[in-house]
Every structure is written in structure tokens, then in C-alpha cells.
Amino acid sequence: MTTAAATSTSTRTVARIGWALLVAVGFALTVHGVGTYVLVALTPGERSTGLLLAGVGLLTLTAAVEGYRRGSRWAWNATWATVAVLVALGAHVLLGGMRNIGGWHLLIAVVALAGQILAAADVAPRPGPRIADQLRAAYPIGFAYAAGIIGIVGGVQLLGFYIVEFGPLPQSGGPLGSANDLTGALSVPLMIPVVIFLGNRVRRSRAARALQLITIAGLVALTPMGPMLVYDVIGFDIQLVVAVPVVALIFAWIFFTSRWLGRSPSWSGVARFGGILGLLYVTAVAVIALSFLLSWMSLPQRIVMGTGFVIGGIAFLAVPFWFLQVGKHLAADG
Amino acid sequence: MTETETRTASRRETWGWGILVAIGVLLTANGAILYLFVADTELFRTMGLLHAGFGILATVIALDGYLHRTRWAWNASWAIVAVLAVIAVHAVVGSEPDVAITYVIYAVAALAAQLLTRPT
């Protein structure tokens, strides 16, 4: 056997051990969930918890078995969710004072993490070039990346603001809200060159040109709103009046541009992502509208409206990732 | 299979996977809302976390199906349908009408999507 072949075999063996650990974690969670449901649970709530745990275990098991058999990258991506859930669950239960259960979950989380790291030895390679290589490229790749990265920073600030402000222990959001407003003043104008560049790539129909021009005008109008709000030049209501339609415009532009770009097979990834963003936004608006049919501030309305805002929030927070994907695609295109 | 049939099958699969992705996102959102805003006991918060975790796993698996049409994602999605169906039956038997209606809708939508995504 040659040295290269021996190295490849040992790498595959290490990865298989990792996947086997993940299979064991999936199996343990499934058995734990079923056991909780059948033997331990006394109340409907406890039984539901058992079912959900078994569900997480079953999905982990199927992903890990796929990884074990083929080293699939997406199976590996999926099992990261299991690690995250176990860490969150362990920390949550531990902080709640249940040391045995919390410790058990954290122990499984460590096993799952070890499995993830070992399995990474032989995961199928990611298609496309490395991000670091792509960042060297110039306009419009640089603008797409910059809009994406700064947008993600803004998203994290916004998320932090809402968690602090409306989370389990509500308190003043502090500087996070203002920081998000100022970050927005950076990320929004960075989108404009990308809108211009992609607008010139897609078909030059009148509708496409009109949407491009309106979107650019909206982005220009939105740019100073954040700083003006922070420095008390305008109120939140004025910012909202401008931001809501501009956000709708951004989603419309992303959706239609993605569709137009998707006519070229090489853009199919960007096109699908843009399509998902557009559909998520429309779903969010529809769910929020639906909530107004329910009794005002009743529990069902809060849940339905909250679901709408969460979906909209996910779509909003995902927009910078679309710009990142555009940058990545342009870099790969050369 | 003719080109038209292939295109129709592809569109059907796109819709099916799209619905499964949407179900995953909704399950995640439901779990997050339960944990952050609705739960008033430790048990409900734990349920919220597990719900969100199940939703994230379902979303990632369905996204692989949406983007790459992989056979394993289709097989794994049967587990999503099964778990949702079991929770629905559990809620129906346990006389929890609100929960039962929600999960029956989820389970039926997931099953319909699963059938749409069947590989050609």
C-alpha cells in the first residue's frame, strides 16, 4: 500500500469513528426520548418533551448514518445543530438547578462535538473557492462582501437589542439599538453598487430597470435615517415610515433579481437563496396579517404574530448572507 | 421521460422541498417563541429548546433536499413526518385540541410535501 493510500485510509477511519460517535449520540437521544415518554413521564408536557427528544435523536441518527456511509457535508452541517441543541439544553437545565440532567446533556454534547471534529477529517469538500481567495477580488465583489459582513454585524446588534429588551429578563437595550442604527448607515449604501452591477447583468426590461432605480432611491433615502434617529433629528415613527417600504423593496429586488439571474444555471444557488428570502418575507407579512384576525393581544394572537415577526426577522437577518453569496459567486466567476 | 415531464417533476420537487423548509423554519420559530416569550415553567422552556432544535435539524435536512435533491434527505424527511404525526396523535389522544390541530396541520403538510418530493 502506498503512503498516500495509507493516509487516506487512516483519515477515513478517523472520520468513521467520529460518525460512529454521532450515530451513538443519535441512538442515545432516541432511546432517552422514548424511555422518557413510555416509562418516566407523568404529565402531557413531560410526554411531549420525550417525543421531541426522540425526534431530535431520530434526525441526528439519520444524518449520522448518512455521514458514516458517504461522508456527506450536509449531514455534517446538520449534526452541528445537534451539538448546539445539546449545549443549549445542558446549559439551560444546569442553570435551572437540575445538575444531573444538565450534566448528562453536556456530556452527550461533548461526545457529539468530539464526533463532529473527528468526522471533519473526511467530509466531502465544499464546492467553490475559499472565502479568503475571493476577498482579494475587487469591485463589485468587495462591495457585496462588505455589505454582507457589515450587515451581519448589524444583524447581531439588532438581535442582541431585542433579546436584551424583550428577553426573559427584560431591561433597557442600552447602546445596541443605536449601534445598529449607525451600522445600518454603513451597510445600506454598500448595497447600492451591488444593485447597480447586478441590475446591469440581468435582462434590461423596463420593469427590471424601474425596480432597480426605485430600490437605489430607497437605499439612498434609508442611509441617513439611522444617524438622524440616533442624534434626535427625527423620531422613530419617521424612520419606520421610510424603513418599512424600503425593506419591502429590498426583498422584492432580491427576489426578482434572483429569478432573472437564475436563468443562467451557474447562478442557481444565489437564485434559490433569493427565492427563499422572498418567500419568507411574504410568509411573514401574511402570518402577521392573519394575526390581526384573532382577538387583540390574546395568547393565540401573540403566538401567531410572534411567529410572523420571527420569520420576518430570520429573512431580514439572512439578507446579508445573500450578499455574501453574491460576492462568493462573482469571485468564483472571475 | 420527456423534457416537459422532467421540468414538471422538477417543479413539483421544488415545491415539496420548499414546503418542508418552511415547516422546519416554522417549527424553529414556534420553539423560539415558546422558550423566549410564552413558557412560564422550566418544563415548557425545555420543550421550547427541543422544539427549536428539532426545527433546525429539519430545516438543514430539508435545505439539503431543496438545494441538492439528495436521496438521504428524502429518507430523513420521513422521520420528520413520523415525529410530527406521533405528536399529533399524542395530542389528539391527550385531548389537547389546540396543540392537536396545529400538529395535524404540520403532519399533513409535511406528508403532502414528502409525497411531492418523491424522487423520479
Side-chain angles (χ1 to χ4, degrees), chain B residues 24-80:
Chain B
V25 171
L26 283 169
L27 288 170
T28 310
N30 283 165
I33 290 164
L34 181 61
Y35 180 81
L36 287 172
F37 304 113
V38 180
D40 49 3
T41 64
E42 284 302 308
L43 182 67
F44 276 110
R45 282 197 194 94
T46 306
M47 271 174 67
L49 273 179
L50 282 169
H51 209 289
F54 180 73
I56 292 170
L57 271 163
T59 307
V60 177
I61 290 167
L63 265 179
D64 186 32
Y66 185 88
L67 296 173
H68 307 119
R69 306 281 196 269
T70 48
R71 180 85 196 190
W72 85 273
W74 192 74
N75 293 337
S77 300
W78 278 115
I80 300 170

Side-chain angles (χ1 to χ4, degrees), chain A residues 56-73:
Chain A
V56 170
L58 209 54
L59 292 188
T60 305
L61 193 59
T62 48
V65 167
E66 164 67 13
Y68 186 85
R69 291 173 65 192
R70 296 193 189 87
S72 151
R73 171 162 286 277

Side-chain angles (χ1 to χ4, degrees), chain A residues 135-147:
Chain A
L135 280 172
R136 291 197 197 101
Y139 170 89
I141 304 164
F143 278 106
Y145 272 121

